Structure formats: C-alpha cells, structure tokens
Amino acid sequence: MGERMTYNLDGYVDVPTRMAAFYARFPEGSFQMDPPTFTEVLGKAFVWAQARAYRFPDDPRPGIGTAWEQIPGNTPYTRGSELMNLETSLWGRACAAVMAVDGKIATTEEIRSAEDRRSDPVAEAKTSMGTYKTPSGRTVSSGDQPITEPQLKKLRYEMKRLAIEEFMLADFAMDVYKIDVPIDGLQKLTKAQASVLIDGLTKTTEKVERVSHSDQAIQDDPWVSPG
C-alpha cells in the first residue's frame, strides 16, 4: 500500500542545464513567453501557453515550445505553482526545438511532474467520480464534495478494526497518501480523500504502526467520535 510508480530519468536533463547550453551556443539568444490562456477540457481547468527561443534578435524561425498545466495542481508540489511549472516546461521545450541538448524533448521537471500526477491517488479518485453541472452551469468535481455519512461511518469502522486513533490516522494519511487531514475533523475530508483512505485501510490486514511522536492520545482530539 502506498507504493509509487517511478520513472527512469536517465538521459533527461533539467531545464537550467538545457538553457545554459542554449546560451553557450547562442549568446545573443532570448526566451519570450506568450500570455497564458485558461481553458476547460472534459470538466477540468487548464492553463496553456507557448514560448519562443530566439537564437538571435531577428531570428526568423525561433524554437517554439507548447505546454499546459492542470489547475489547481493535483499534488502538494504543483498546487499553487502552476504558472511557474508551465513557464519552466515552455523554456525547456523551446530549447529542444532549436537544438539537440539531450535527444529528448521532455525535461526532468516534466517527467517528475508526470510521476506526481500518476501517483496521486486522490486525483485518480476525483477523476473516477466524475463531474456534474450546478444550476448556474458551473462544472464541479464530485470528488471535491464533503465526505458522505456512509463514508464517515465506514472510515471510523476501519479505524476501530485496526486500532487507529484519530491523530494516528492523520500521520498515516500524510505519510502514505500525502493527505492532510483537516484539523477540525474527519467530516472536513472530501469524498475523494475519504475514498482513498477507506480503500487503503480496508486492504490493510495488520494494525497500523503508531507513527506519531506522541505516545499518549490527545485529550482534546477534534477527530474523536462523539459518545
């Protein structure tokens, strides 16, 4: 449980290395990025743009790089940095369009970003749950809705079965799934987060090892089930 797919990064270089090689070869070169465009595809929001790598000021055929990023990002590493990640991808791809730096178009940053997307179980759960339209016409992810009562009951049942206290679940959720359990209670989890935790706990046959630094239960633990 919690295993991640890993990618072989042999043969890939990062964007700073690729840009350094570009400037070494074209000292008068420059990079220019078009204004980003926001769009929606299959109910998901994306931001995309193009960038150009000019080998010299009046370069008639600059290298063009095109890329997009989902917003908000699916992982703690991409969320909040979508435009910066987009810009990095554009520079690297524009470089590859005018010179063979490493024989590969994708950069190490893009490969790692793809790994994070593929290994994010909450994002996968959200995708499987689909979307729906609100009365105002806005597309909403079903997985972003609050945890349901049946999910909450099932989650607490699995916690009791495995002798997991609430503060231990928070550590477990972060360590295995990068899920930040809300401090104000399990009822603040989303449907997608709850689905991932329930699935993980259901597949667990042994009691989860205590990973908290505290050896005693927190008396005012906000996740404690009432009575």
Side-chain angles (χ1 to χ4, degrees), residues 84-101:
M84 292 79 91
N85 293 333
L86 174 64
E87 184 180 69
T88 299
S89 294
L90 291 172
W91 296 155
R93 287 180 171 271
C95 277
V98 292
M99 59 182 295
V101 176

Side-chain angles (χ1 to χ4, degrees), residues 60-94:
R61 298 179 66 85
I64 299 176
T66 304
W68 71 352
E69 285 284 330
Q70 185 174 342
I71 51 175
N74 286 329
T75 74
Y77 310 106
T78 58
R79 192 174 300 116
S81 303
E82 294 84 356
L83 285 177
M84 292 79 91
N85 293 333
L86 174 64
E87 184 180 69
T88 299
S89 294
L90 291 172
W91 296 155
R93 287 180 171 271

Side-chain angles (χ1 to χ4, degrees), residues 22 49-50 93 97 110 115 130 160 162 169 189-190 218 227:
F22 174 86
Q50 287 188 328
R93 287 180 171 271
E110 291 180 315
E115 180 180 2
K160 182 177 181 180
L162 296 169
L169 176 70
L189 289 168
T190 66
I218 300 174

Side-chain angles (χ1 to χ4, degrees), residues 77-135:
Y77 310 106
T78 58
R79 192 174 300 116
S81 303
E82 294 84 356
L83 285 177
M84 292 79 91
N85 293 333
L86 174 64
E87 184 180 69
T88 299
S89 294
L90 291 172
W91 296 155
R93 287 180 171 271
C95 277
V98 292
M99 59 182 295
V101 176
D102 49 39
K104 300 180 185 292
I105 294 178
T107 62
T108 51
E109 288 87 350
E110 291 180 315
I111 298 301
R112 289 183 179 125
S113 179
E115 180 180 2
D116 285 335
R117 288 195 299 270
R118 290 178 61 97
S119 61
D120 184 0
V122 174
E124 294 173 1
K126 286 173 59 176
T127 298
S128 68
M129 291 178 177
T131 60
Y132 65 92
K133 290 282 188 179
T134 65

Side-chain angles (χ1 to χ4, degrees), residues 109-209:
E109 288 87 350
E110 291 180 315
I111 298 301
R112 289 183 179 125
S113 179
E115 180 180 2
D116 285 335
R117 288 195 299 270
R118 290 178 61 97
S119 61
D120 184 0
V122 174
E124 294 173 1
K126 286 173 59 176
T127 298
S128 68
M129 291 178 177
T131 60
Y132 65 92
K133 290 282 188 179
T134 65
S136 63
R138 188 166 60 95
T139 300
V140 177
S141 170
S142 296
D144 285 333
Q145 298 308 297
I147 183 174
T148 65
E149 188 61 29
Q151 283 183 313
L152 189 56
K153 289 181 178 179
K154 177 64 174 175
L155 181 57
R156 285 175 171 156
Y157 169 81
E158 292 299 331
M159 290 169 61
K160 182 177 181 180
R161 179 179 68 86
L162 296 169
I164 299 176
E165 297 181 46
E166 286 78 5
F167 70 97
M168 294 169 61
L169 176 70
D171 290 340
F172 173 75
M174 177 58 68
D175 290 345
V176 178
Y177 297 114
K178 296 187 177 71
I179 294 177
D180 188 6
V181 176
I183 189 63
D184 46 355
L186 297 178
Q187 69 276 8
K188 295 298 183 179
L189 289 168
T190 66
K191 287 176 62 177
Q193 290 173 328
S195 176
V196 170
L197 291 177
I198 291 170
D199 183 63
L201 294 180
T202 300
K203 294 176 180 177
T204 301
T205 58
E206 298 180 358
K207 294 183 178 181
V208 177
E209 180 181 356

Side-chain angles (χ1 to χ4, degrees), residues 206-217:
E206 298 180 358
K207 294 183 178 181
V208 177
E209 180 181 356
R210 181 188 296 259
V211 292
S212 173
H213 296 296
S214 174
D215 290 329
Q216 298 181 347

